[in-house]
Amino acid sequence: MKFTLPKWYDLHVHFRQGAPMENYIQAHLDMGCCGVLAMPNTKPPVTHVSGKNTEQYWTIENYLSDLKQAGGEAFDDIIVPLYLTGETSAKMITEGAKDGILRACKYYPPHGTTNSEHGADLNIYMENGVFSAMEEAGLILNIHGEEHGLSGETYFGESSNAEDYFYKNHMPKLVKKFPSLKIVCEHITTKTAADFVNTASDDVVATITPQHLLYTVADLLQGLKYHLYCLPLLKFEKDRNALLEAATDKNNTKFFAGTDSAPHTTKATECGCAAGCYTGGIAPQLYADAFNLNEDNLETFKNFLCLNGPQFYGLDVSKETFTLEKKPSTPVIAGNAIPLHTGLGHDELNWTLNL
Ligand code: NCD
Ligand code: ZN
């Protein structure tokens, strides 16, 4: 079994900064990726559009040029969303959009995940003109949909969790107030979020990671496989089934690939664990596993991996191709981050990817 697919866009990836970037970018190119949405949670974060970097913040203009220099020139396109903070103004949005450098903005729940401490409460942007300027300019809002500041059972419990809370309490208000704002619900993990996206307008879509299609929290806990520790946390079988159903639906136009590949060179520490799964080099192979890719669902797989994302972002589908063959392969480990499946103790992937 061997399938030829157009090169695909990873519409949620962390490339970080400095020398390691080259390895991470190369690993993405090597897995048939033709373009990316590169996340702005660098240190310092990308909270300004143009001009020079400072000690407090980076600019999209500078980070884009860093990414290109580190090998990203080979991508057809790179989108860097603006990291929204309490300092982001409607004026920055409108001017950035006019320049064409600003194409998307990322909402991070304050303190919710890796390098997210610069984020501000969602309500601030609902009131201070930022979302309204984005809606007006046709920019895309990338949402990390988790309620911040929760603990104990409300953070992660049997009947609710931080994502569930966010999609029940904030998202309905957001889409009601800004009905034509283009929204990508990033790395959704719950049935609540999948249901929300399914019933929302065509302007509301979602990315899904390989790990959330393949695993549940039980896989993380049994043997404490900390390479599976990412945020939002893996959830339950009912949630995984809802994600799989959404992604593998024949008529799916709203759900697409965004790996959230997040390299951490030190995962487990004395007092906890860095959140993020690294899937550079192996993501299409993992997605193919999740789909149980075969002749019958090839078109659906192609929609999820290669077509729906670029369609929403207005990007051209690549004319170049790559192949996935049902034949074991050993992944190449580039750089210091351990790919997820290696971290889980698997030597081989079920698929071989060739460019
Ligand atoms: C991401 C990271 O490491 O930058 N971590 C993660 O668990 N997904 C940040 C993020 O997207 O939440
Ligand atoms: Zn992420």
Side-chain angles (χ1 to χ4, degrees):
M1 245 191 332
K2 185 171 174 176
F3 304 106
T4 302
L5 292 151
K7 285 195 174 178
W8 62 292
Y9 289 86
D10 186 351
L11 290 161
H12 186 136
V13 52
H14 300 266
F15 283 141
R16 311 296 187 209
Q17 57 204 87
M21 264 199 305
E22 282 186 27
N23 289 317
Y24 305 145
I25 289 173
Q26 192 57 51
H28 260 66
L29 290 165
D30 290 346
M31 63 174 176
C33 210
C34 67
V36 290
L37 184 100
M39 283 300 173
N41 63 336
T42 45
K43 285 180 178 173
V46 184
T47 60
H48 285 64
V49 178
S50 43
K52 291 229 175 325
N53 284 346
T54 70
E55 284 200 359
Q56 285 74 43
Y57 65 78
W58 280 7
T59 67
I60 294 180
E61 196 180 355
N62 259 289
Y63 189 46
L64 261 179
S65 116
D66 289 351
L67 289 163
K68 286 183 182 166
Q69 266 181 39
E73 198 70 73
F75 288 125
D76 292 346
D77 207 342
I78 305 176
I79 301 172
V80 174
L82 182 74
Y83 188 133
L84 294 176
T85 74
E87 316 276 285
T88 316
S89 67
K91 186 163 170 274
M92 270 166 81
I93 301 288
T94 311
E95 287 176 359
K98 226 181 270 163
D99 288 351
I101 306 177
L102 182 61
R103 299 159 75 184
C105 298
K106 174 77 188 274
Y107 165 75
Y108 280 106
H111 302 282
T113 185
T114 311
N115 303 348
S116 74
E117 62 275 21
H118 309 278
D121 194 280
L122 191 82
N123 291 308
I124 292 181
Y125 315 116
M126 304 241 305
E127 303 300 331
N128 71 1
V130 165
F131 286 165
S132 148
M134 287 183 64
E135 185 179 43
E136 179 80 27
L139 296 187
I140 289 176
L141 174 62
N142 308 103
I143 292 243
H144 181 128
E146 286 192 289
E147 177 68 357
H148 58 93
L150 300 178
S151 58
E153 280 280 300
T154 42
Y155 176 67
F156 191 81
E158 253 176 308
S159 53
S160 182
N161 55 62
E163 180 175 300
D164 191 76
Y165 185 100
F166 192 91
Y167 280 88
K168 284 186 176 145
N169 293 287
H170 294 292
M171 289 305 284
K173 287 187 205 147
L174 178 66
V175 296
K176 186 157 183 242
K177 186 151 185 200
F178 305 100
S180 35
L181 180 58
K182 286 171 77 91
I183 299 174
V184 184
C185 302
E186 298 295 340
H187 43 51
I188 60 165
T189 67
T190 56
K191 180 172 185 315
T192 305
D195 289 348
F196 177 83
V197 173
N198 265 321
T199 50
S201 83
D202 289 349
D203 286 323
V204 181
V205 298
T207 54
I208 310 182
T209 76
Q211 63 268 22
H212 291 107
L213 289 173
L214 285 167
Y215 300 105
T216 67
V217 67
D219 298 301
L220 164 69
L221 292 178
Q222 196 163 21
L224 202 56
K225 302 214 180 57
Y226 60 82
H227 282 274
L228 277 173
Y229 180 68
C230 66
L231 292 170
L233 285 165
L234 293 165
K235 301 296 188 308
F236 299 97
E237 201 56 33
K238 72 162 176 21
D239 298 300
R240 189 175 81 96
N241 284 335
L243 302 182
L244 271 173
E245 222 169 88
T248 62
D249 187 308
K250 275 205 313 299
N251 301 315
N252 165 32
T253 54
K254 285 184 156 229
F255 299 88
F256 51 85
T259 62
D260 199 12
S261 174
H264 287 275
T265 45
T266 311
K267 269 293 274 176
T269 66
E270 282 293 305
C271 56
C273 184
C277 298
Y278 179 54
T279 47
I282 60 171
Q285 302 90 315
L286 297 187
Y287 280 129
D289 275 342
F291 268 70
N292 188 17
L293 177 61
N294 59 63
E295 282 85 1
D296 295 339
N297 66 15
L298 177 62
E299 285 309 306
T300 314
F301 183 71
K302 188 166 145 186
N303 290 340
F304 175 81
L305 188 73
C306 317
L307 305 183
N308 293 349
Q311 166 76 27
F312 187 76
Y313 276 86
L315 305 167
D316 290 334
V317 174
S318 179
K319 292 193 177 58
E320 292 181 28
T321 59
F322 71 99
T323 60
L324 271 177
E325 188 176 1
K326 189 79 190 272
K327 189 175 99 182
S329 69
T330 322
V332 181
I333 300 182
N336 295 327
I338 299 173
L340 176 62
H341 84 292
T342 310
L344 294 176
H346 307 311
D347 295 329
E348 286 182 333
L349 294 157
N350 297 320
W351 295 85
T352 301
L353 189 151
N354 276 306
L355 298 182

